[in-house]
Amino acid sequence: MSEWREYILEDVIDKFIDYRGKTPTKTTFGIPLVTAKIVKAGKILPPNEFIAREDYDSWMTRGLPEIDDVVLTTEAPLGEVALIQDKNVALAQRIITLRGKKEFIFNPFLKYYFQNDTGQHKLQSRASGTTVFGIKASVLRKMPVELPDIEEQKAIASVLSSLDDKIDLLHRQNKTLEAMAETLFRQWFVEEVEDDWVEGTIYDLIEFNPARKLAKGEMAPYLEMAALSTNTFNPDGWYLREFSSGTKFTNGDTLLARITPCLENGKTAYVTFLENDQVAWGSTEYIVMRPKGNLHPFFAYSLARNSDFRDYAEGCLAGSSGRQRVDVDHLKDYKISTPSATRIKNYNAFAESITLKLHANSQQIHTLKTLRDTLLPKLMSGEVRVEYP
């Protein structure tokens, strides 16, 4: 096993690409632009800004990215980090791209170094600024880093990346399952409405904010609005907290953000993470939806993700600009027909099979994330060592 040594970052970095101080002309399509806004949780999210292909050469004069280069955000926010997986991108301000010298640094290891508390502390403690809090390139270059030899770096990164790869695979599986559910819901309940269905409103099918009981001061799982996803059923992160005042919910409930811009952004959840009969609570800005009668609970979530319904919900916003909320009484007037018993039976069978798989995957994701988060500081400090040839 190697001993860890301390280096100055600039001594072990081959390329230090910094486009701060430059502002590209942005377009609606072209070469994807990697900005600080899309570097999150160890990943580069799908881009929403681009530069024209004909501007690429004139813009990218300070260095070109390569696969597995480390992208580090330097301000607003500071310390988000990811690996470049597609070198056909442009680099924006507020990020610095690092490429380690091959004999000193394995780039995936460097990503995990910055994700760990030690790396984060070194960045935060060297940051400065009043209106914008960030780290200067000159300061970052002089930051000390502790490294084992290159083979141990590769072994450590292999352990952590294998966990991340499995988590990503499960997320992709759930995304595919949700896409199937959304397609079937649209076909069965929007496009293929039958003559014998009873015309009505959503209030005929969905109960809003059903009564749940929690005693004041009782410890119960708490779910923040920030934990709701914009594109998947499973919220990310909940914790025990004394109940004071908030929206209460149980397994099988659908949570719909009722405040702008959370509603427009798509924040929605289908609750599966609680124990049987456990009651949780969260933001007063949730609308809780639960199907009535014999409809499967997932029906409410599928409806909440439906684009027609979401457009209608946005039309129900009321209040002052910037703090508008959905008027639930208005929302209850959304027109939808009550399906036949046969259609309900078929949908319920489908929903039960898909929710079992979604829940199993989400549980495995939670377990793997916990393991990864436990191992990360131990591996990056040398407390736990990895065998390697």
Side-chain angles (χ1 to χ4, degrees), residues 190-236:
V190 179
E191 298 173 352
E192 300 177 3
V193 176
E194 299 173 358
D195 293 338
D196 61 342
W197 292 17
V198 179
E199 292 184 0
T201 68
I202 190 175
Y203 197 52
D204 298 321
L205 301 176
I206 300 293
E207 182 179 8
F208 289 90
N209 300 320
R212 310 286 189 230
K213 291 184 179 180
L214 270 179
K216 198 173 186 69
E218 182 179 350
M219 296 296 293
Y222 179 79
L223 185 67
E224 297 177 346
M225 179 68 76
L228 265 63
S229 173
T230 60
N231 55 26
T232 189
F233 84 101
N234 192 42
D236 185 18

Short mmCIF file of all heavy atoms in Angstrom, two decimals, residues 190-236:
data_model
loop_
_atom_site.label_atom_id
_atom_site.label_comp_id
_atom_site.label_asym_id
_atom_site.label_seq_id
_atom_site.Cartn_x
_atom_site.Cartn_y
_atom_site.Cartn_z
N VAL A 190 -56.92 9.67 -21.86
CA VAL A 190 -57.03 10.94 -22.57
C VAL A 190 -57.43 10.72 -24.03
O VAL A 190 -58.39 11.33 -24.52
CB VAL A 190 -55.72 11.75 -22.50
CG1 VAL A 190 -55.85 13.06 -23.27
CG2 VAL A 190 -55.33 12.02 -21.05
N GLU A 191 -56.73 9.80 -24.70
CA GLU A 191 -56.95 9.63 -26.14
C GLU A 191 -58.03 8.60 -26.48
O GLU A 191 -58.64 8.69 -27.54
CB GLU A 191 -55.63 9.22 -26.80
CG GLU A 191 -54.52 10.26 -26.66
CD GLU A 191 -53.18 9.78 -27.18
OE1 GLU A 191 -53.06 8.58 -27.51
OE2 GLU A 191 -52.25 10.60 -27.23
N GLU A 192 -58.24 7.63 -25.60
CA GLU A 192 -59.16 6.52 -25.93
C GLU A 192 -60.38 6.50 -25.00
O GLU A 192 -60.79 5.45 -24.51
CB GLU A 192 -58.41 5.19 -25.86
CG GLU A 192 -57.24 5.10 -26.83
CD GLU A 192 -56.46 3.79 -26.69
OE1 GLU A 192 -56.88 2.94 -25.87
OE2 GLU A 192 -55.45 3.64 -27.40
N VAL A 193 -60.94 7.66 -24.75
CA VAL A 193 -62.13 7.75 -23.90
C VAL A 193 -63.31 7.08 -24.62
O VAL A 193 -63.58 7.35 -25.79
CB VAL A 193 -62.48 9.21 -23.59
CG1 VAL A 193 -63.78 9.31 -22.80
CG2 VAL A 193 -61.33 9.86 -22.83
N GLU A 194 -64.01 6.20 -23.91
CA GLU A 194 -65.10 5.43 -24.51
C GLU A 194 -66.46 6.07 -24.24
O GLU A 194 -66.61 6.86 -23.30
CB GLU A 194 -65.05 3.99 -23.98
CG GLU A 194 -63.74 3.28 -24.34
CD GLU A 194 -63.61 1.92 -23.67
OE1 GLU A 194 -64.51 1.53 -22.90
OE2 GLU A 194 -62.59 1.25 -23.93
N ASP A 195 -67.44 5.71 -25.05
CA ASP A 195 -68.76 6.34 -24.99
C ASP A 195 -69.47 6.11 -23.67
O ASP A 195 -70.28 6.94 -23.23
CB ASP A 195 -69.64 5.84 -26.14
CG ASP A 195 -69.13 6.29 -27.50
OD1 ASP A 195 -68.39 7.30 -27.53
OD2 ASP A 195 -69.47 5.65 -28.51
N ASP A 196 -69.21 4.97 -23.02
CA ASP A 196 -69.93 4.67 -21.79
C ASP A 196 -69.29 5.28 -20.54
O ASP A 196 -69.78 5.04 -19.43
CB ASP A 196 -70.09 3.16 -21.62
CG ASP A 196 -68.74 2.45 -21.51
OD1 ASP A 196 -67.71 3.05 -21.90
OD2 ASP A 196 -68.71 1.30 -21.03
N TRP A 197 -68.22 6.03 -20.71
CA TRP A 197 -67.60 6.67 -19.56
C TRP A 197 -68.46 7.85 -19.12
O TRP A 197 -69.08 8.54 -19.94
CB TRP A 197 -66.19 7.16 -19.89
CG TRP A 197 -65.22 6.03 -20.13
CD1 TRP A 197 -65.50 4.73 -20.39
CD2 TRP A 197 -63.80 6.15 -20.13
NE1 TRP A 197 -64.35 4.02 -20.55
CE2 TRP A 197 -63.28 4.86 -20.41
CE3 TRP A 197 -62.91 7.19 -19.95
CZ2 TRP A 197 -61.92 4.60 -20.50
CZ3 TRP A 197 -61.55 6.94 -20.03
CH2 TRP A 197 -61.06 5.66 -20.29
N VAL A 198 -68.45 8.12 -17.81
CA VAL A 198 -69.27 9.19 -17.25
C VAL A 198 -68.46 10.48 -17.21
O VAL A 198 -67.38 10.54 -16.60
CB VAL A 198 -69.73 8.83 -15.83
CG1 VAL A 198 -70.56 9.97 -15.24
CG2 VAL A 198 -70.53 7.53 -15.85
N GLU A 199 -68.97 11.52 -17.87
CA GLU A 199 -68.28 12.81 -17.87
C GLU A 199 -68.35 13.42 -16.47
O GLU A 199 -69.36 13.31 -15.78
CB GLU A 199 -68.91 13.76 -18.88
CG GLU A 199 -68.70 13.35 -20.33
CD GLU A 199 -69.25 14.37 -21.30
OE1 GLU A 199 -69.80 15.40 -20.83
OE2 GLU A 199 -69.16 14.15 -22.51
N GLY A 200 -67.26 14.05 -16.08
CA GLY A 200 -67.23 14.67 -14.77
C GLY A 200 -65.99 15.51 -14.59
O GLY A 200 -65.38 15.98 -15.57
N THR A 201 -65.58 15.67 -13.34
CA THR A 201 -64.39 16.46 -13.03
C THR A 201 -63.42 15.62 -12.21
O THR A 201 -63.75 14.53 -11.73
CB THR A 201 -64.74 17.73 -12.24
OG1 THR A 201 -65.21 17.34 -10.93
CG2 THR A 201 -65.81 18.54 -12.96
N ILE A 202 -62.25 16.17 -12.02
CA ILE A 202 -61.22 15.46 -11.26
C ILE A 202 -61.68 15.17 -9.83
O ILE A 202 -61.26 14.18 -9.22
CB ILE A 202 -59.91 16.29 -11.26
CG1 ILE A 202 -58.75 15.48 -10.68
CG2 ILE A 202 -60.08 17.60 -10.52
CD1 ILE A 202 -57.41 16.19 -10.76
N TYR A 203 -62.57 16.01 -9.31
CA TYR A 203 -63.02 15.82 -7.93
C TYR A 203 -63.85 14.55 -7.77
O TYR A 203 -64.02 14.04 -6.67
CB TYR A 203 -63.81 17.04 -7.47
CG TYR A 203 -63.96 17.12 -5.97
CD1 TYR A 203 -62.85 17.04 -5.13
CD2 TYR A 203 -65.21 17.28 -5.39
CE1 TYR A 203 -62.98 17.10 -3.76
CE2 TYR A 203 -65.35 17.35 -4.00
CZ TYR A 203 -64.23 17.26 -3.20
OH TYR A 203 -64.36 17.32 -1.83
N ASP A 204 -64.37 14.02 -8.90
CA ASP A 204 -65.08 12.75 -8.85
C ASP A 204 -64.12 11.58 -8.62
O ASP A 204 -64.53 10.51 -8.14
CB ASP A 204 -65.85 12.50 -10.15
CG ASP A 204 -66.91 13.55 -10.41
OD1 ASP A 204 -67.57 13.97 -9.43
OD2 ASP A 204 -67.06 13.96 -11.57
N LEU A 205 -62.86 11.78 -8.97
CA LEU A 205 -61.88 10.69 -8.94
C LEU A 205 -60.78 10.89 -7.90
O LEU A 205 -60.18 9.91 -7.45
CB LEU A 205 -61.21 10.56 -10.32
CG LEU A 205 -62.13 10.27 -11.51
CD1 LEU A 205 -61.32 10.26 -12.81
CD2 LEU A 205 -62.84 8.94 -11.32
N ILE A 206 -60.50 12.13 -7.54
CA ILE A 206 -59.35 12.44 -6.68
C ILE A 206 -59.80 13.18 -5.43
O ILE A 206 -60.57 14.14 -5.49
CB ILE A 206 -58.33 13.32 -7.43
CG1 ILE A 206 -57.80 12.61 -8.69
CG2 ILE A 206 -57.17 13.71 -6.51
CD1 ILE A 206 -56.96 11.38 -8.42
N GLU A 207 -59.28 12.73 -4.27
CA GLU A 207 -59.46 13.45 -3.02
C GLU A 207 -58.26 14.36 -2.82
O GLU A 207 -57.11 13.94 -2.99
CB GLU A 207 -59.57 12.47 -1.85
CG GLU A 207 -59.81 13.14 -0.51
CD GLU A 207 -59.94 12.15 0.63
OE1 GLU A 207 -59.69 10.93 0.41
OE2 GLU A 207 -60.28 12.58 1.74
N PHE A 208 -58.53 15.61 -2.47
CA PHE A 208 -57.46 16.57 -2.27
C PHE A 208 -57.23 16.80 -0.78
O PHE A 208 -58.17 16.99 -0.01
CB PHE A 208 -57.79 17.90 -2.95
CG PHE A 208 -57.74 17.83 -4.45
CD1 PHE A 208 -58.86 17.50 -5.18
CD2 PHE A 208 -56.55 18.07 -5.13
CE1 PHE A 208 -58.82 17.42 -6.57
CE2 PHE A 208 -56.49 18.00 -6.51
CZ PHE A 208 -57.62 17.67 -7.23
N ASN A 209 -55.95 16.77 -0.40
CA ASN A 209 -55.54 17.03 0.98
C ASN A 209 -56.35 16.21 1.99
O ASN A 209 -56.98 16.77 2.90
CB ASN A 209 -55.64 18.53 1.30
CG ASN A 209 -54.77 19.36 0.39
OD1 ASN A 209 -53.64 18.98 0.07
ND2 ASN A 209 -55.27 20.50 -0.05
N PRO A 210 -56.34 14.88 1.85
CA PRO A 210 -57.08 14.03 2.79
C PRO A 210 -56.53 14.19 4.21
O PRO A 210 -55.36 14.51 4.41
CB PRO A 210 -56.84 12.62 2.26
CG PRO A 210 -55.60 12.71 1.44
CD PRO A 210 -55.60 14.08 0.85
N ALA A 211 -57.39 13.98 5.19
CA ALA A 211 -57.02 14.16 6.59
C ALA A 211 -55.98 13.13 7.01
O ALA A 211 -56.12 11.93 6.74
CB ALA A 211 -58.26 14.06 7.47
N ARG A 212 -54.93 13.58 7.63
CA ARG A 212 -53.89 12.73 8.23
C ARG A 212 -53.62 13.26 9.64
O ARG A 212 -53.72 14.47 9.86
CB ARG A 212 -52.60 12.77 7.42
CG ARG A 212 -52.77 12.51 5.91
CD ARG A 212 -53.04 11.07 5.63
NE ARG A 212 -53.00 10.77 4.20
CZ ARG A 212 -53.94 10.13 3.55
NH1 ARG A 212 -55.01 9.70 4.20
NH2 ARG A 212 -53.82 9.87 2.26
N LYS A 213 -53.23 12.40 10.55
CA LYS A 213 -53.06 12.82 11.94
C LYS A 213 -51.59 12.76 12.37
O LYS A 213 -50.91 11.74 12.20
CB LYS A 213 -53.89 11.94 12.87
CG LYS A 213 -55.40 12.14 12.71
CD LYS A 213 -56.18 11.32 13.72
CE LYS A 213 -57.69 11.55 13.58
NZ LYS A 213 -58.46 10.76 14.56
N LEU A 214 -51.13 13.87 12.92
CA LEU A 214 -49.83 13.95 13.59
C LEU A 214 -49.99 14.87 14.78
O LEU A 214 -50.56 15.98 14.65
CB LEU A 214 -48.76 14.52 12.65
CG LEU A 214 -47.95 13.58 11.77
CD1 LEU A 214 -46.96 14.36 10.92
CD2 LEU A 214 -47.23 12.51 12.57
N ALA A 215 -49.48 14.46 15.93
CA ALA A 215 -49.56 15.30 17.12
C ALA A 215 -48.45 16.35 17.09
O ALA A 215 -47.33 16.08 16.64
CB ALA A 215 -49.44 14.45 18.37
N LYS A 216 -48.75 17.54 17.54
CA LYS A 216 -47.75 18.61 17.58
C LYS A 216 -46.58 18.16 18.45
O LYS A 216 -46.75 17.66 19.56
CB LYS A 216 -48.37 19.88 18.14
CG LYS A 216 -47.57 21.14 17.82
CD LYS A 216 -48.33 22.38 18.25
CE LYS A 216 -47.63 23.65 17.83
NZ LYS A 216 -47.63 23.86 16.38
N GLY A 217 -45.37 18.30 17.92
CA GLY A 217 -44.16 17.88 18.63
C GLY A 217 -43.75 16.45 18.35
O GLY A 217 -42.67 16.02 18.75
N GLU A 218 -44.60 15.68 17.67
CA GLU A 218 -44.28 14.29 17.34
C GLU A 218 -43.18 14.24 16.29
O GLU A 218 -43.18 15.00 15.32
CB GLU A 218 -45.52 13.58 16.82
CG GLU A 218 -45.34 12.11 16.49
CD GLU A 218 -46.61 11.45 16.01
OE1 GLU A 218 -47.68 12.08 16.11
OE2 GLU A 218 -46.53 10.30 15.53
N MET A 219 -42.21 13.33 16.48
CA MET A 219 -41.15 13.15 15.49
C MET A 219 -41.70 12.35 14.32
O MET A 219 -42.29 11.29 14.50
CB MET A 219 -39.96 12.42 16.10
CG MET A 219 -39.26 13.19 17.21
SD MET A 219 -38.50 14.73 16.63
CE MET A 219 -37.19 14.10 15.58
N ALA A 220 -41.49 12.89 13.12
CA ALA A 220 -42.01 12.23 11.92
C ALA A 220 -41.14 12.61 10.74
O ALA A 220 -40.48 13.65 10.74
CB ALA A 220 -43.45 12.65 11.67
N PRO A 221 -41.11 11.77 9.69
CA PRO A 221 -40.32 12.11 8.50
C PRO A 221 -40.78 13.44 7.92
O PRO A 221 -41.98 13.70 7.78
CB PRO A 221 -40.61 10.95 7.55
CG PRO A 221 -41.00 9.81 8.43
CD PRO A 221 -41.74 10.43 9.58
N TYR A 222 -39.79 14.27 7.56
CA TYR A 222 -40.07 15.59 7.00
C TYR A 222 -39.46 15.67 5.61
O TYR A 222 -38.32 15.28 5.39
CB TYR A 222 -39.47 16.68 7.89
CG TYR A 222 -39.69 18.08 7.36
CD1 TYR A 222 -40.90 18.72 7.54
CD2 TYR A 222 -38.68 18.75 6.68
CE1 TYR A 222 -41.12 20.01 7.06
CE2 TYR A 222 -38.88 20.04 6.19
CZ TYR A 222 -40.09 20.66 6.39
OH TYR A 222 -40.30 21.93 5.90
N LEU A 223 -40.24 16.19 4.67
CA LEU A 223 -39.82 16.28 3.27
C LEU A 223 -39.89 17.73 2.81
O LEU A 223 -40.97 18.31 2.75
CB LEU A 223 -40.71 15.39 2.39
CG LEU A 223 -40.33 15.28 0.92
CD1 LEU A 223 -39.00 14.54 0.76
CD2 LEU A 223 -41.43 14.56 0.14
N GLU A 224 -38.72 18.29 2.48
CA GLU A 224 -38.67 19.66 2.00
C GLU A 224 -39.08 19.74 0.53
O GLU A 224 -38.93 18.78 -0.22
CB GLU A 224 -37.25 20.22 2.16
CG GLU A 224 -36.78 20.31 3.61
CD GLU A 224 -35.34 20.80 3.71
OE1 GLU A 224 -34.65 20.79 2.67
OE2 GLU A 224 -34.93 21.19 4.82
N MET A 225 -39.53 20.92 0.13
CA MET A 225 -39.86 21.14 -1.28
C MET A 225 -38.64 20.89 -2.17
O MET A 225 -38.77 20.35 -3.28
CB MET A 225 -40.37 22.56 -1.48
CG MET A 225 -40.72 22.90 -2.92
SD MET A 225 -42.16 22.01 -3.55
CE MET A 225 -43.49 22.92 -2.73
N ALA A 226 -37.46 21.25 -1.69
CA ALA A 226 -36.24 21.07 -2.49
C ALA A 226 -35.97 19.61 -2.81
O ALA A 226 -35.26 19.31 -3.78
CB ALA A 226 -35.04 21.67 -1.76
N ALA A 227 -36.55 18.70 -2.03
CA ALA A 227 -36.31 17.27 -2.23
C ALA A 227 -37.14 16.68 -3.35
O ALA A 227 -36.85 15.59 -3.84
CB ALA A 227 -36.57 16.50 -0.94
N LEU A 228 -38.20 17.39 -3.77
CA LEU A 228 -39.04 16.88 -4.85
C LEU A 228 -38.33 17.01 -6.18
O LEU A 228 -37.67 18.02 -6.46
CB LEU A 228 -40.37 17.64 -4.90
CG LEU A 228 -41.54 16.98 -4.16
CD1 LEU A 228 -41.25 16.91 -2.67
CD2 LEU A 228 -42.83 17.75 -4.42
N SER A 229 -38.47 15.97 -7.01
CA SER A 229 -37.83 15.97 -8.32
C SER A 229 -38.74 16.64 -9.34
O SER A 229 -39.96 16.67 -9.20
CB SER A 229 -37.54 14.53 -8.76
OG SER A 229 -37.08 14.49 -10.09
N THR A 230 -38.13 17.15 -10.39
CA THR A 230 -38.90 17.73 -11.49
C THR A 230 -39.23 16.70 -12.55
O THR A 230 -40.02 16.99 -13.46
CB THR A 230 -38.12 18.89 -12.15
OG1 THR A 230 -36.87 18.39 -12.65
CG2 THR A 230 -37.86 20.01 -11.15
N ASN A 231 -38.64 15.49 -12.45
CA ASN A 231 -38.85 14.53 -13.55
C ASN A 231 -38.99 13.09 -13.11
O ASN A 231 -39.09 12.20 -13.97
CB ASN A 231 -37.71 14.64 -14.57
CG ASN A 231 -36.34 14.48 -13.93
OD1 ASN A 231 -36.19 13.85 -12.91
ND2 ASN A 231 -35.35 15.10 -14.55
N THR A 232 -39.00 12.80 -11.82
CA THR A 232 -39.19 11.42 -11.38
C THR A 232 -39.97 11.38 -10.09
O THR A 232 -40.07 12.38 -9.36
CB THR A 232 -37.85 10.70 -11.20
OG1 THR A 232 -38.07 9.31 -10.97
CG2 THR A 232 -37.05 11.28 -10.05
N PHE A 233 -40.55 10.22 -9.79
CA PHE A 233 -41.48 10.10 -8.67
C PHE A 233 -40.82 10.19 -7.31
O PHE A 233 -41.46 10.59 -6.32
CB PHE A 233 -42.22 8.75 -8.77
CG PHE A 233 -41.45 7.58 -8.19
CD1 PHE A 233 -41.76 7.08 -6.93
CD2 PHE A 233 -40.41 6.99 -8.89
CE1 PHE A 233 -41.05 6.02 -6.39
CE2 PHE A 233 -39.70 5.94 -8.37
CZ PHE A 233 -40.03 5.44 -7.10
N ASN A 234 -39.54 9.81 -7.22
CA ASN A 234 -38.91 9.57 -5.93
C ASN A 234 -38.20 10.81 -5.41
O ASN A 234 -37.25 11.28 -6.01
CB ASN A 234 -37.90 8.42 -6.06
CG ASN A 234 -37.43 7.92 -4.72
OD1 ASN A 234 -38.22 7.78 -3.80
ND2 ASN A 234 -36.14 7.67 -4.61
N PRO A 235 -38.65 11.38 -4.27
CA PRO A 235 -37.93 12.53 -3.71
C PRO A 235 -36.58 12.10 -3.17
O PRO A 235 -36.36 10.93 -2.86
CB PRO A 235 -38.86 13.00 -2.58
CG PRO A 235 -39.65 11.79 -2.20
CD PRO A 235 -39.80 10.98 -3.45
N ASP A 236 -35.69 13.05 -3.04
CA ASP A 236 -34.31 12.75 -2.66
C ASP A 236 -33.99 13.40 -1.32
O ASP A 236 -33.64 14.57 -1.26
CB ASP A 236 -33.34 13.25 -3.74
CG ASP A 236 -31.90 12.86 -3.45
OD1 ASP A 236 -31.69 11.95 -2.62
OD2 ASP A 236 -30.99 13.48 -4.02
#
